[in-house]
Amino acid sequence: MSFQEKLKNIFKKKEKKEPQTPAEKVKEFFKQLFYAAIAAFFIITFIIQNTRIPTGSMEDTILVGDFVLVNKFIYGSSSPRYIPFTETPLPYFTLPAFKDPKPTDIVVFEYPGDRDQLEPTEKGVNYVKRCIGTPGDTVEIRDKVVFVNGKEFWRPPYIKYYRGMIGSNLRPLPKGYAEPRIFPRGMPWNEDNYGPLVVPKKGMTIPINIYNVEQWRTTIDREFGKRVVEIRGNVVYIDGQPASSYTFKKDYYFMMGDNRDDSLDSRFWGFVPRDAVVGEAFIILFSWDREIPFSELFRLLASVRTDRILKLIH
């Protein structure tokens, strides 16, 4: 055999042998299933995932029962943060982002917890809201109208109100009326007349004293991952040290639902840190009536909203 023929045989592609016996076929089936599972895991973790909408806080932009696709890599997707089906944290890494969330984006994020909670009761729960304020912005609501940095914020095409409706007119909660659930605790605001409130930005330094400490207590505690803010006499202490100012370690966002009077959002539980952002919701895969149980499969299939299949959301 010539040298050229030997070389040809070395680099000749070996033909794949087809499975012949039942055992070989079963082995090949599970092998392909394993590869498919790995590919699906990679796609769901780093590229695109499906999120079901359980509440009406984004109506009528997104409806209860919509299955929404989320672009994860655009904001920089991360590896899993918890062991599957548990709340046990894992070391994780984040891929570079193509962009940061901007005002008007519909953002999927990990719920940071109730207003005064250090961390959520249940970890890994995703919320879907619209980004209103970005790091460094000043958010204010006047008689239900949102203003950012002193200018009226763009109104979503499907924005929705219901509380205070008298005919075609709205009667907002009056300015100065304090809603006890509002964020931050103790502020004389409500969901219709709110702020002004500055959204923290990484590296931004604010003065801290006994008169404004409650406005920032939860956010500072969450940055440390423990309770560090306390008042001794007339002095504020952070992590055991007297403090007259604080410099934020993260960027934050202010999120609201388009269904303004039926949305538990940043007005009630606070800011969303950048590292809690999961991705951007961009298209409705399909939609049906989630109140119908799977035991009534044909009725459930008949409830599919065909006008919402593959509908882009904005």
Side-chain angles (χ1 to χ4, degrees):
M1 182 181 294
S2 67
F3 175 78
Q4 287 82 2
E5 289 176 332
K6 290 181 181 179
L7 196 62
K8 184 178 179 181
N9 288 335
I10 291 174
F11 291 99
K12 184 179 179 180
K13 184 178 179 180
K14 186 177 181 181
E15 293 184 3
K16 184 178 178 181
K17 182 182 177 182
E18 293 294 330
Q20 300 295 327
T21 66
E24 289 177 341
K25 291 179 179 180
V26 170
K27 181 179 179 181
E28 181 66 18
F29 170 78
F30 281 105
K31 181 180 178 182
Q32 296 301 324
L33 193 63
F34 174 76
Y35 290 151
I38 293 294
F41 175 80
F42 179 83
I43 291 171
I44 292 171
T45 300
F46 295 106
I47 303 176
I48 290 177
Q49 77 174 37
N50 173 47
T51 294
R52 181 175 61 86
I53 304 302
T55 69
S57 67
M58 282 296 293
E59 291 181 347
D60 287 327
T61 305
I62 305 175
L63 303 180
V64 174
D66 285 351
F67 285 76
V68 174
L69 291 184
V70 180
N71 183 337
K72 299 184 73 174
F73 66 87
I74 196 166
Y75 295 146
S77 54
S78 71
S79 59
R81 303 187 182 195
Y82 307 100
I83 295 175
F85 311 111
T86 75
E87 295 184 1
T88 305
L90 289 170
Y92 68 91
F93 63 89
T94 302
L95 298 177
F98 286 86
K99 69 169 188 173
D100 289 319
K102 68 178 189 302
T104 76
D105 284 356
I106 298 176
V107 180
V108 178
F109 54 91
E110 187 174 336
Y111 179 54
D114 295 342
R115 183 188 66 182
D116 301 320
Q117 282 186 314
L118 189 61
E119 57 184 26
T121 303
E122 184 181 355
K123 296 179 181 179
V125 175
N126 288 346
Y127 274 27
V128 182
K129 307 287 181 186
R130 191 178 295 277
C131 179
I132 300 294
T134 55
D137 286 343
T138 299
V139 175
E140 185 177 6
I141 303 173
R142 308 173 198 162
D143 294 334
K144 292 185 181 286
V145 180
V146 176
F147 291 81
V148 178
N149 300 327
K151 297 181 180 180
E152 185 176 341
F153 188 75
W154 169 83
R155 298 193 186 192
Y158 297 106
I159 194 170
K160 186 176 180 181
Y161 304 96
Y162 76 89
R163 186 181 295 122
M165 286 292 295
I166 301 177
S168 60
N169 298 315
L170 286 169
R171 180 177 292 177
L173 292 172
K175 185 176 183 179
Y177 168 76
E179 163 62 63
R181 300 176 300 157
I182 215 72
F183 172 88
R185 181 174 60 181
M187 301 303 289
W189 305 339
N190 56 68
E191 55 264 47
D192 297 337
N193 281 282
Y194 183 95
L197 179 67
V198 177
V199 182
K201 181 178 182 179
K202 183 177 180 179
M204 183 177 79
T205 300
I206 57 166
I208 286 287
N209 53 58
I210 60 173
Y211 303 105
N212 72 352
V213 66
E214 294 304 327
Q215 183 174 343
W216 306 108
R217 179 190 291 270
T218 299
T219 306
I220 295 172
D221 283 345
R222 286 176 178 173
E223 289 209 330
F224 280 82
K226 60 182 180 179
R227 300 294 181 188
V228 295
V229 178
E230 57 181 326
I231 300 174
R232 303 177 193 170
N234 291 322
V235 179
V236 175
Y237 283 75
I238 297 178
D239 201 23
Q241 300 298 318
S244 58
S245 64
Y246 181 75
T247 301
F248 289 100
K249 303 174 182 178
K250 299 179 180 181
D251 284 328
Y252 291 87
Y253 296 86
F254 194 95
M255 306 289 186
M256 286 180 64
D258 287 358
N259 189 358
R260 294 292 167 78
D261 293 332
D262 192 22
S263 174
L264 289 176
D265 47 42
S266 287
R267 294 172 292 178
F268 298 96
W269 40 253
F271 306 115
V272 176
R274 179 64 177 86
D275 56 8
V277 171
V278 174
E280 181 180 13
F282 70 99
I283 192 171
I284 298 167
L285 189 61
F286 73 98
S287 178
W288 60 21
D289 186 350
R290 67 183 295 268
E291 297 299 323
I292 301 174
F294 275 97
S295 59
E296 302 179 38
L297 181 59
F298 290 106
R299 184 168 163 240
L300 181 62
L301 293 175
S303 73
V304 171
R305 303 167 180 131
T306 55
D307 61 323
R308 299 187 69 79
I309 295 175
L310 299 180
K311 180 180 180 180
L312 293 173
I313 52 180
H314 55 84

